[in-house]
Amino acid sequence: MKLGEDSSLEILRTSKDNLIHKLKEKSPTWEDSDDIEINQLLDVYEKNKYVFSNSVIDTLYTIKVNDEFDCNILKERKTLNGIIILDSTELYIFQEIGEKLKVMNFKVSIKDDYSDIKIFTFNLNENEKIIAENIETEVWKKFLRCLIYLDFLPTETKYINPNEKFGTRKQGKVINKTDHKIILVTKAWNQEYKTKPNTKFYSKAHWGIRWTGSGRTTPKITFIKGSLKGLNKPAEKEIKR
């Protein structure tokens, strides 16, 4: 993936004012508060930019998101805002504003002279999705898969500075020709954790994600009681079939 001046990230940055103007034209009920919110949402500089490795992309579609998704799960996430770059032509940019998580899906192709914007909202307090009828289900579900992976599953990150490149064709090479630092997210498959022999540690009570339902594909927030534990987790690469 090459991120340069014709990428969705750079086009979003350079055309922010024009995008806001078009959104105002299409919304007859636009208010001053909408100006503040959309400027927060489209503030590219203040957000981390995430790119997923091929191993993560291959895993995303194993995360099942139901139509009646429980938005309460999003209250426990770690990432308040950010930009998830799916490829050079498409990204999600998101921002928590008040008790709402606002998301924009932005697609653009200079070659095909095409661009498309879809905005949807998760009301975290009311546990509801605010999604226009013209937005396909897969658009908001794909965003949730990305966010669940980013915030609730074990990952490793690699920072790719401006004018740097990283990765292989198999892993997913990222060539960063922008002025932004890009975060490459990969599966935490090569980490090994052990406690000393005959020792235990106390795991504090906490909230966590547990996978339920058929095939354990539905995420559910669960309260986990504190307990004494011993840890012996081999690296995934050693047990991978």
Side-chain angles (χ1 to χ4, degrees):
M1 181 194 308
K2 182 178 180 180
L3 300 175
E5 61 182 12
D6 60 346
S7 66
S8 55
L9 177 63
E10 280 298 280
I11 292 174
L12 179 62
R13 180 186 66 81
T14 57
S15 61
K16 173 185 172 182
D17 292 339
N18 187 39
L19 287 176
I20 293 175
H21 178 71
K22 288 182 177 180
L23 289 171
K24 285 183 177 181
E25 286 184 335
K26 292 181 179 180
S27 178
T29 59
W30 193 275
E31 299 178 355
D32 290 342
S33 59
D34 295 320
D35 265 333
I36 297 172
E37 289 190 2
I38 199 66
N39 273 286
Q40 278 187 273
L41 175 62
L42 298 184
D43 189 349
V44 172
Y45 290 102
E46 294 299 317
K47 292 178 172 63
N48 285 331
K49 293 90 181 170
Y50 301 96
V51 171
F52 290 153
S53 69
N54 288 346
S55 61
V56 172
I57 292 171
D58 291 341
T59 306
L60 283 177
Y61 292 95
T62 65
I63 300 174
K64 304 298 182 184
V65 177
N66 296 330
D67 291 343
E68 299 302 321
F69 179 79
D70 185 357
C71 298
N72 285 315
I73 292 174
L74 299 179
K75 292 181 180 180
E76 305 300 323
R77 74 189 195 285
K78 297 172 288 187
T79 312
L80 295 180
N81 61 70
I83 301 174
I84 297 174
I85 303 168
L86 300 178
D87 56 42
S88 61
T89 65
E90 183 180 5
L91 60 78
Y92 289 103
I93 184 167
F94 60 98
Q95 173 78 46
E96 183 171 322
I97 301 173
E99 295 176 336
K100 296 180 180 180
L101 180 64
K102 298 189 76 70
V103 187
M104 174 188 282
N105 174 247
F106 181 56
K107 294 182 181 180
V108 64
S109 172
I110 292 179
K111 179 181 177 181
D112 299 325
D113 191 24
Y114 167 82
S115 66
D116 185 42
I117 295 173
K118 293 181 173 67
I119 298 177
F120 47 95
T121 303
F122 298 97
N123 190 331
L124 306 181
N125 191 42
E126 300 295 331
N127 191 20
E128 66 174 346
K129 304 182 298 294
I130 305 171
I131 298 171
E133 292 182 1
N134 65 335
I135 296 180
E136 296 177 4
T137 302
E138 185 58 26
V139 172
W140 62 264
K141 283 189 175 182
K142 184 162 57 175
F143 168 74
L144 287 174
R145 291 189 193 104
C146 292
L147 198 59
I148 288 170
Y149 200 104
L150 186 62
D151 278 352
F152 297 113
L153 296 178
T155 60
E156 293 177 338
T157 57
K158 165 69 179 178
Y159 291 89
I160 307 173
N161 292 313
N163 296 314
E164 285 186 353
K165 59 183 178 180
F166 180 81
T168 62
R169 180 176 295 181
K170 181 178 180 181
Q171 181 189 41
K173 180 179 288 187
V174 178
I175 303 172
N176 184 13
K177 291 293 184 180
T178 73
D179 293 331
H180 307 280
K181 183 183 291 184
I182 304 296
I183 302 174
L184 177 65
V185 181
T186 63
K187 293 175 68 175
W189 69 289
N190 60 347
Q191 296 179 357
E192 182 176 9
Y193 305 95
K194 286 185 178 180
T195 50
K196 293 181 179 180
N198 302 316
T199 61
K200 291 184 179 294
F201 66 94
Y202 182 73
S203 175
K204 293 182 179 180
H206 61 281
W207 291 93
I209 290 288
R210 290 294 180 266
W211 298 88
T212 63
S214 178
R216 296 184 180 273
T217 55
T218 304
K220 180 181 179 181
I221 291 290
T222 305
F223 182 75
I224 302 167
K225 295 180 179 179
S227 62
L228 286 172
K229 292 184 177 180
L231 183 62
N232 184 9
K233 174 188 174 296
E236 186 178 333
K237 64 181 180 182
E238 296 178 2
I239 59 175
K240 194 172 182 180
R241 300 293 185 265

